């Protein structure tokens, strides 16, 4: 008997594949953000509006297009005149307009309560959609307090940096509706050791001329840059305007960096050929002047990984809710639930700690300001060590599909290591933590108070607190700085969750991060009932 021909059988019926997610309200679908933002005193209506805007499918598509069509360098015009410009895809400008108009760079400085907490939550939201466009806005946000070192410079630049609009035109600052500021500090021979920078500054009447090479310049189409150079009185901070009246400043773009990720954002090498610059702060006080900018950029590098983790987990959660194997949905399978619950702890812990630190940025109380200095370093360190692990595990949840660009997970994977490198890599941050605690007794006192505040609510936490104090009655030796930073950051996160978070999350975080009731691989936990933890993923 002849078998039936196969030509009539369908070859591309799609089943057991989740539908495309479509519009996603990044605010209403995220119960953890809503709760922690409210606790931090953030402007929740602003965040609701921004989360709704950024979660729309056309904005997420704009993010994909901006990454698929990275910026390109145009050094000369057709006649051979220097341009030193970067061309961006239109969707990059669309993202910049949406975020700047919402107040990403400005809102912290507008005088309303909860400005820094609101800004930090906006970093978290923007990072879920397209992380690259955050760089120039983060630099702009962080540069504003550094300008206070010179009232005349601040008067010219601050209103343009705080304008709630986006103006990418090539024109001097006085003619612009809005402006952005970048940073150019790193040199190839010195890296984090900025005091070894070799760029030279020479006086030219009421301004300066800079000559030198910068190995990394963030967002080279910014309207100005803060940089460091060696003046006769020592390392000094300068503001370089990008565009001058009737001419271009002598800032030459040598090449764009070919980076692992952050593709929509341009990073470059630059040379200053007697570029005009204005002194900011005292001669020889360069590090002291620019450190305020670094302090604020660190807040963003603590918040962005929480956003990346959220985006990765949202994709994984959507997949397991709508994908079945062996006659069961993936979300109903105990081992999958254990893995996801474990990852939720890293994400929720990072967001909780990050927004608590942002709340301290908003305070005028000296103790809170001291806590902000130490807390932001701890938050940045822990969040960035957990972020790559969470993204990789989320990719694995989708199997082979997680390795496909259409899911967005490869973009998150390439982005995951970056914030751990920006504004001080892991060792730099850990050493800064030790220096801060040694030099600032108020920071050490406030950190201890935050840890002790959770005592008495959980015996496992109390035991961990006792062990921590016994292990490090004083600051640890340098070789133990990472161990100390990790343990302290976990303790601080657990304290916040015990006092302010849901019982299910606090219980599991304390058990797995402090009490040792887990392996070192995500999902290697005594899971038990994880429903309360998985519920934190919300409507993803």
């Amino acid at each position: 008997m002849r078998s039936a021909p196969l030509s009539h059988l369908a070859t591309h019926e799609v089943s057991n594949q989740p539908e495309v997610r479509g519009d996603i309200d990044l605010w209403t679908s995220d119960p953890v953000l809503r709760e922690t933002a409210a606790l931090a005193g953030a402007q929740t209506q602003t965040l609701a509006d921004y989360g709704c805007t950024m979660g729309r499918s056309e904005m997420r598509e704009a993010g994909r297009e901006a990454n698929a069509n990275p910026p390109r360098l145009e050094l000369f015009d057709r006649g051979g005149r220097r341009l030193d410009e970067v061309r961006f895809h239109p969707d990059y400008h669309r993202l910049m307009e949406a975020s700047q108009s919402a107040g990403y760079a400005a809102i912290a400085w507008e005088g309303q309560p909860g400005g820094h907490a609101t800004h930090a939550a906006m970093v978290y939201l923007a990072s879920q959609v397209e992380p690259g466009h955050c760089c120039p806005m983060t630099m702009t946000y962080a540069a504003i307090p550094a300008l206070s070192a010179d009232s005349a410079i601040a008067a010219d630049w601050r209103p343009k940096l705080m304008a709630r609009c986006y103006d990418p035109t090539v024109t001097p600052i006085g003619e612009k509706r809005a402006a952005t500021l970048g940073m150019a500090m790193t040199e190839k021979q010195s890296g984090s050791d900025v005091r070894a920078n070799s760029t030279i500054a020479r006086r030219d009447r009421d301004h300066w001329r800079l000559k030198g090479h910068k190995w990394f310049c963030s967002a080279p189409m910014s309207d100005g840059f803060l940089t460091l150079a060696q003046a006769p009185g020592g390392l000094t901070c300068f503001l370089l305007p990008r565009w001058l009246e009737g001419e271009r400043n002598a800032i030459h773009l040598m090449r764009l960096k070919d980076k692992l990720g952050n593709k929509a954002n341009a990073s470059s090498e630059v040379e200053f050929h007697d570029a005009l610059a204005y002194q900011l702060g005292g001669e020889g006080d360069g590090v002291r002047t620019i450190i305020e900018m670094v302090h604020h950029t660190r807040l963003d590098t603590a918040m962005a990984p929480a956003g990346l983790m959220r985006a990765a987990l949202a994709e994984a959660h959507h997949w397991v809710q709508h994908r079945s194997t062996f006659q069961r949905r993936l979300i109903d399978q105990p081992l999958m639930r254990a893995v996801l619950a474990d990852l939720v702890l890293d994400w929720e812990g990072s967001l909780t700690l990050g927004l608590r630190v942002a709340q301290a940025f908003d305070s005028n109380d000296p103790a809170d300001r001291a806590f902000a200095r130490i807390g932001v370093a701890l938050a940045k360190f822990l969040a960035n060590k957990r972020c790559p692990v969470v993204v990789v595990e989320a990719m694995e949840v989708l199997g082979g599909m997680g390795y496909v660009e259409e899911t967005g997970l490869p973009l998150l994977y390439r982005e995951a290591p970056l914030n751990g490198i920006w504004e001080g890599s892991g060792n730099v941050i850990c050493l800064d933590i030790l220096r801060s605690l040694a030099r600032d007794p108020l920071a050490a006192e406030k950190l201890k108070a935050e840890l002790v505040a959770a005592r008495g609510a959980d015996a496992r936490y109390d035991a961990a607190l006792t062990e921590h104090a016994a292990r490090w009655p004083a600051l640890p030796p340098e070789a133990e700085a990472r161990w100390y930073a990790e343990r302290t950051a976990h303790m601080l996160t657990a304290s916040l969750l015990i006092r302010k978070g849901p019982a299910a999350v606090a219980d599991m975080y304390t058990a797995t991060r402090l009490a040792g009731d887990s392996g070192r691989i995500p999902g290697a936990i005594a899971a038990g009932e994880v429903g309360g933890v998985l519920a934190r993923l919300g409507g993803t």
Side-chain angles (χ1 to χ4, degrees):
M1 181 177 178
R2 296 179 62 187
S3 61
L6 300 179
S7 59
H8 70 284
L9 298 179
T11 59
H12 199 71
E13 288 185 358
V14 178
S15 62
N16 202 24
Q17 282 279 336
E19 295 290 336
V20 177
R21 294 172 69 199
D23 290 345
I24 307 162
D25 189 323
L26 299 179
W27 172 258
T28 60
S29 64
D30 189 340
V32 181
L33 175 61
R34 296 198 310 274
E35 293 170 20
T36 52
L39 286 170
Q43 300 167 31
T44 54
Q45 187 56 55
T46 295
L47 296 175
D49 294 341
Y50 186 60
C52 179
T53 296
M54 294 301 285
R56 290 177 183 145
S57 56
E58 62 263 29
M59 295 303 289
R60 302 202 320 278
E61 179 60 27
R64 287 188 286 270
E65 287 296 313
N67 273 270
N69 299 275
R72 48 190 180 80
L73 180 61
E74 292 194 3
L75 290 177
F76 304 96
D77 69 9
R78 60 182 291 175
R81 304 171 191 86
R82 287 205 73 100
L83 284 177
D84 294 295
E85 293 182 18
V86 179
R87 300 284 185 251
F88 293 92
H89 188 271
D91 278 326
Y92 171 86
H93 295 298
R94 183 180 181 186
L95 291 160
M96 287 290 294
E97 174 64 39
S99 292
Q100 285 292 71
S101 296
Y104 184 112
I107 201 163
W109 312 111
E110 291 175 338
Q112 298 300 311
H116 289 285
T118 308
H119 163 79
M122 294 178 82
V123 175
Y124 168 83
L125 289 167
S127 297
Q128 297 177 48
V129 178
E130 201 300 294
H133 83 292
C134 295
C135 177
M137 299 186 297
T138 285
M139 297 291 120
T140 301
Y141 151 77
I144 290 173
L147 298 184
S148 63
D150 189 292
S151 59
I153 290 175
D156 288 339
W157 283 82
R158 187 181 171 105
K160 304 299 176 74
L161 300 176
M162 289 180 58
R164 284 207 182 197
C165 58
Y166 171 59
D167 182 357
T169 57
V170 177
T171 190
I173 184 68
E175 301 172 19
K176 302 204 69 164
R177 296 179 300 120
T180 57
L181 267 184
M183 184 192 292
M185 289 203 300
T186 305
E187 297 187 6
K188 52 185 175 288
Q189 80 283 353
S190 56
S192 297
D193 184 11
V194 294
R195 295 187 184 277
N197 283 5
S198 62
T199 296
I200 298 299
R202 63 174 180 83
R203 175 74 74 173
D204 184 3
R205 297 187 297 278
D206 64 342
H207 53 265
W208 294 76
R209 298 285 176 176
L210 302 192
K211 190 175 185 64
H213 184 113
K214 296 294 181 178
W215 192 235
F216 273 95
C217 172
S218 67
M221 283 302 285
S222 297
D223 297 291
F225 305 95
L226 296 189
T227 193
L228 297 175
Q230 300 289 354
L235 191 66
T236 303
C237 184
F238 295 93
L239 170 64
L240 283 87
R242 187 78 162 85
W243 323 110
L244 305 177
E245 295 291 343
E247 62 177 329
R248 296 163 187 266
N249 204 0
I251 303 171
H252 293 177
L253 305 188
M254 308 308 294
R255 60 173 173 167
L256 298 185
K257 295 294 192 181
D258 186 6
K259 300 168 294 185
L260 170 67
N262 211 243
K263 294 290 189 178
N265 173 49
S267 304
S268 65
E269 280 179 56
V270 298
E271 285 186 355
F272 306 144
H273 291 269
D274 289 328
L276 182 146
Y278 298 103
Q279 182 177 330
L280 195 61
E283 195 170 334
D285 290 336
V287 173
R288 186 180 297 110
T289 303
I290 209 166
I291 199 67
E292 193 67 16
M293 182 177 186
V294 173
H295 176 55
H296 285 83
T297 52
R298 281 185 177 174
L299 176 62
D300 289 26
T301 60
M303 292 303 303
L308 300 178
M309 285 187 267
R310 168 64 181 178
L313 283 172
E315 288 295 333
H317 191 217
H318 180 67
W319 179 267
V320 299
Q321 285 179 305
H322 299 92
R323 179 83 166 176
S324 297
T325 181
F326 307 115
Q327 291 77 54
R328 284 190 300 174
R329 289 191 312 159
L330 288 174
I331 189 61
D332 296 326
Q333 301 193 25
L335 187 54
M336 180 61 75
R337 292 171 66 80
V339 170
L340 287 175
D342 208 359
L343 301 180
V344 166
L345 299 178
D346 288 321
W347 155 59
E348 180 159 356
S350 296
L351 181 54
T352 300
L353 178 55
L355 283 177
R356 169 65 187 94
V357 170
Q359 182 184 23
F361 273 71
D362 278 314
S363 175
N364 292 319
D365 180 72
D368 281 337
R369 302 296 290 175
F371 175 72
R373 289 191 291 275
I374 188 66
V376 74
L378 290 165
K380 170 178 157 55
F381 180 71
L382 184 59
N384 282 294
K385 293 308 176 189
R386 300 312 305 160
C387 181
V389 176
V390 171
V391 173
V392 166
E393 290 288 346
M395 293 177 74
E396 192 171 321
V397 168
L398 273 68
M401 277 301 296
Y403 211 63
V404 174
E405 291 287 348
E406 290 170 312
T407 65
L409 287 166
L411 184 154
L412 300 173
Y413 176 77
R414 291 188 294 269
E415 196 74 20
L418 181 56
N419 290 282
I421 297 170
W422 269 347
E423 309 313 329
S425 55
N427 284 0
V428 172
I429 294 297
C430 290
L431 295 175
D432 277 356
I433 290 169
L434 298 190
R435 279 192 291 268
S436 294
L437 292 173
R439 296 173 181 174
D440 189 348
L442 189 56
E445 180 183 328
K446 182 61 176 177
L447 175 61
K448 181 178 179 180
E450 288 280 337
L451 296 177
V452 171
R455 178 182 285 163
D458 187 305
R460 297 162 303 181
Y461 179 84
D462 294 350
L465 190 61
T466 300
E467 179 187 358
H468 187 275
R471 172 70 209 181
W472 294 295
L475 290 178
E478 181 178 313
E480 292 184 18
R482 281 196 172 213
W483 182 13
Y484 176 84
E486 178 190 11
R487 190 66 175 173
T488 305
H490 275 313
M491 293 287 299
L492 183 56
T493 304
S495 174
L496 291 169
L497 290 172
I498 289 169
R499 288 181 283 145
K500 301 179 180 182
V505 174
D507 178 71
M508 186 174 287
Y509 194 97
T510 303
T512 57
R513 272 52 175 176
L514 300 183
D517 293 345
S518 69
R520 300 184 66 178
I521 297 171
I525 60 176
E529 176 49 55
V530 300
V533 176
L534 291 177
R536 306 297 284 167
L537 286 166
T540 58

